[in-house]
C-alpha cells in the first residue's frame, strides 16, 4: 500500500465515454458487504468474518477500469441494525452518512433458503427493516443485489423472491450474485456503471483508498482477535495502533487490544499467553502481505470498562481507532 493510495486526489478531465461516481454498499449485518467489496477490488482491503458487526467504519475502495474508462468509489458500510448501545449508534451513523453522497446504492440481501415456502418473498423483516427505512430517504438509484446464490440449489426460487421486492420500494435494477465465488460480479459492475455520471474522479488510476496504513493494520489485528476469541469478546474488542515506524524496509508496530472486562483480557491473552501469541502471528502475516515488507508486531491488552456504552469512547475506538 503506497503513499499515493492515501492521499485525496483531485477530479480530472476525462474521455467522453468515461463514467465515475460513489457507490454505497448497505445491508443488514453479516450479509456479505465486505466480501463483495474485496471481490470487486480483486484484493483484500477490508476484514470479513462470520461474526455480525465486524465492519465498524465506512471504508472507501476504488475500482478502476480503462476499457471502458470507469472509476467506482465503493463504500463498504457497517451493517444497519437497531442501535442498542452507543457503539451500535456509531455504526448506524457511519452507514447513513455513506448514503448521503452516493450516486448509486447497492442494497445487499441474502438469497432465499431452499427450505420452507415454495414462493419465498423478500419482505421488510425485523433484520432488514432498518435498511429499508434508511433507503426511504435515498434519491439515488438503488440496486437490489441478492448475495449467496451459490448456496441456493433451486434457482427457480429467485424469480418470486425478486418480484416480491417491488413491494419494498422501486429498485433501479436487481441482480443475483455470489460475492464468495464471483458469480455475476462483472455484470454488477456494468449495471452500476450505467447509473454513474460522466467523467472521472481521480487522476491517479492506482488510487485505492483514503484510509491510512495504520487503519488497516488495526483492522487486521482486530480480525485476528475475532477469529480466536469467544463470541462475547469480539463485540467489546477494539484495536488502537500506539506506534508505527518504518526504516530500512522494515516496520515496527505496537498495538493495544482494548476490551471491556478483565475476564475478556484473560481470554484474549490465553493460558500462558498462547492466544495473544497466536493472534499476533496471524495478524503479522496479514500485515506483512498488506505492507509488502517485514513487520515486527507487539500486542498488549488494555481494559476500558463500558466503552461500548459511552458515545465519545465508542466513536474514538470504533470509527476513529486509526488516529495516532
Amino acid at each position: 500500500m503506497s503513499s499515493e493510495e492515501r492521499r485525496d486526489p483531485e477530479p480530472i478531465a476525462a474521455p467522453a465515454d468515461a463514467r465515475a461516481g460513489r457507490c454505497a454498499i448497505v445491508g443488514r449485518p453479516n450479509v456479505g458487504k465486505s466480501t463483495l467489496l474485496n471481490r470487486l477490488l480483486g484484493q483484500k482491503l477490508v476484514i470479513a468474518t462470520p461474526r455480525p458487526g465486524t465492519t465498524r467504519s465506512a471504508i472507501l475502495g476504488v475500482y478502476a477500469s480503462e476499457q471502458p474508462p470507469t472509476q467506482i468509489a465503493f463504500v463498504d458500510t457497517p451493517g444497519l441494525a437497531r442501535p442498542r448501545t452507543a457503539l451500535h449508534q456509531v455504526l448506524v451513523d457511519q452507514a447513513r452518512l455513506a448514503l448521503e453522497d452516493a450516486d448509486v446504492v447497492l442494497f445487499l440481501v441474502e438469497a432465499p433458503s431452499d427450505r420452507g415456502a415454495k414462493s419465498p418473498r423478500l419482505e421488510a423483516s425485523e433484520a432488514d427493516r432498518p435498511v429499508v427505512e434508511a433507503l426511504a430517504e435515498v434519491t439515488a438509484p438503488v440496486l437490489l443485489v441478492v448475495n449467496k446464490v451459490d448456496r441456493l440449489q433451486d434457482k427457480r426460487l429467485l424469480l418470486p423472491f425478486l418480484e416480491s421486492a417491488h413491494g419494498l420500494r422501486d429498485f433501479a435494477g436487481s441482480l443475483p450474485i455470489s460475492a464468495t465465488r464471483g458469480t455475476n460480479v462483472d455484470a454488477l459492475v456494468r449495471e452500476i456503471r450505467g447509473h454513474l455520471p460522466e467523467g472521472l474522479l481521480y487522476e491517479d488510476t492506482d488510487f485505492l483508498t483514503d484510509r491510512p496504513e495504520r487503519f488497516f493494520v488495526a483492522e487486521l489485528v482486530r480480525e485476528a482477535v475475532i477469529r480466536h476469541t469467544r463470541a462475547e469478546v469480539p463485540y467489546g474488542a477494539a484495536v488502537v495502533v500506539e506506534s508505527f515506524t518504518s526504516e530500512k524496509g522494515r516496520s515496527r508496530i505496537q498495538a493495544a487490544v482494548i476490551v471491556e472486562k478483565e475476564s475478556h483480557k484473560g481470554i484474549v491473552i490465553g493460558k500462558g499467553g498462547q492466544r495473544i501469541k497466536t493472534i499476533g502471528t496471524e495478524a503479522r502475516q496479514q500485515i506483512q502481505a498488506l505492507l509488502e515488507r517485514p513487520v515486527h508486531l507487539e500486542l498488549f491488552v488494555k481494559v476500558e470498562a463500558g466503552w461500548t456504552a459511552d458515545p465519545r469512547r465508542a466513536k474514538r475506538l470504533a470509527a476513529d481507532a486509526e488516529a495516532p
Side-chain angles (χ1 to χ4, degrees):
M1 180 174 289
S2 66
S3 60
E4 286 81 3
E5 291 168 339
R6 300 193 298 273
R7 70 175 189 265
D8 190 10
E10 296 295 329
I12 58 166
D17 59 343
R19 289 183 177 270
R22 295 176 68 86
C23 178
I25 307 173
V26 298
R28 61 179 172 81
N30 210 32
V31 76
K33 298 181 295 297
S34 297
T35 301
L36 175 58
L37 178 60
N38 288 337
R39 172 66 67 174
L40 287 162
L41 299 180
Q43 66 181 85
K44 179 178 177 178
L45 180 69
V46 294
I47 65 174
T49 79
R51 300 279 176 83
T54 298
T55 300
R56 289 182 175 170
S57 298
I59 302 173
L60 175 75
V62 179
Y63 166 93
S65 173
E66 294 183 358
Q67 295 297 331
T70 307
Q71 290 177 345
I72 308 174
F74 287 103
V75 182
D76 181 28
T77 64
L80 276 164
R82 300 289 184 198
R84 300 191 302 272
T85 66
L87 175 56
H88 282 140
Q89 188 61 58
V90 168
L91 305 189
V92 169
D93 291 344
Q94 289 269 310
R96 286 182 175 272
L97 188 62
L99 288 171
E100 293 180 4
D101 298 327
D103 296 295
V104 182
V105 175
L106 304 185
F107 176 21
L108 205 63
V109 300
E110 286 190 356
S113 172
D114 281 304
R115 301 175 181 177
K118 294 182 179 180
S119 297
R121 296 180 58 81
L122 176 58
E123 299 174 342
S125 66
E126 189 58 34
D128 289 315
R129 194 176 301 278
V131 190
V132 175
E133 292 173 356
L135 291 176
E137 302 177 5
V138 172
T139 58
V142 178
L143 303 177
L144 176 66
V145 182
V146 184
N147 191 25
K148 305 182 183 180
V149 294
D150 53 305
R151 301 196 299 196
L152 182 63
Q153 297 299 318
D154 187 355
K155 298 298 191 291
R156 293 174 298 178
L157 295 176
L158 278 173
L159 182 58
F161 185 72
L162 291 171
E163 289 177 343
S164 70
H166 295 289
L168 297 181
R169 64 163 292 139
D170 290 330
F171 290 101
S174 60
L175 197 68
I177 70 161
S178 170
T180 300
R181 296 189 178 182
T183 306
N184 274 350
V185 170
D186 289 342
L188 177 60
V189 171
R190 291 193 295 270
E191 181 71 22
I192 295 168
R193 187 182 191 278
H195 296 280
L196 297 179
E198 295 180 353
L200 290 179
L201 294 173
Y202 309 120
E203 181 177 8
D204 183 358
T205 57
D206 292 327
F207 179 75
L208 179 62
T209 184
D210 57 352
R211 293 282 191 170
E213 287 178 339
R214 64 189 303 133
F215 170 82
F216 294 103
V217 166
E219 288 287 272
L220 289 171
V221 174
R222 188 165 65 88
E223 180 181 44
V225 171
I226 292 173
R227 291 189 186 280
H228 293 282
T229 56
R230 299 174 187 173
E232 69 270 20
V233 175
Y235 175 76
V239 176
V240 175
V241 175
E242 303 281 1
S243 68
F244 187 152
T245 60
S246 298
E247 60 179 352
K248 297 181 180 180
R250 189 179 192 89
S251 292
R252 296 184 63 88
I253 301 168
Q254 289 185 327
V257 179
I258 312 297
V259 294
E260 285 197 290
K261 302 176 182 179
E262 284 290 341
S263 61
H264 291 175
K265 179 177 180 179
I267 292 171
V268 173
I269 292 174
K271 185 176 180 180
Q274 186 58 46
R275 182 170 288 115
I276 192 68
K277 181 179 179 181
T278 300
I279 290 169
T281 298
E282 181 177 300
R284 178 177 53 79
Q285 292 171 347
Q286 293 291 321
I287 294 167
Q288 286 183 159
L290 172 76
L291 302 181
E292 299 180 337
R293 57 181 177 268
V295 169
H296 176 77
L297 175 65
E298 295 181 35
L299 299 180
F300 50 96
V301 186
K302 290 182 178 180
V303 178
E304 285 205 25
W307 73 266
T308 62
D310 182 314
R312 181 184 59 81
R313 288 191 294 169
K315 186 175 186 300
R316 174 175 62 85
L317 293 175
D320 300 330
E322 81 275 13

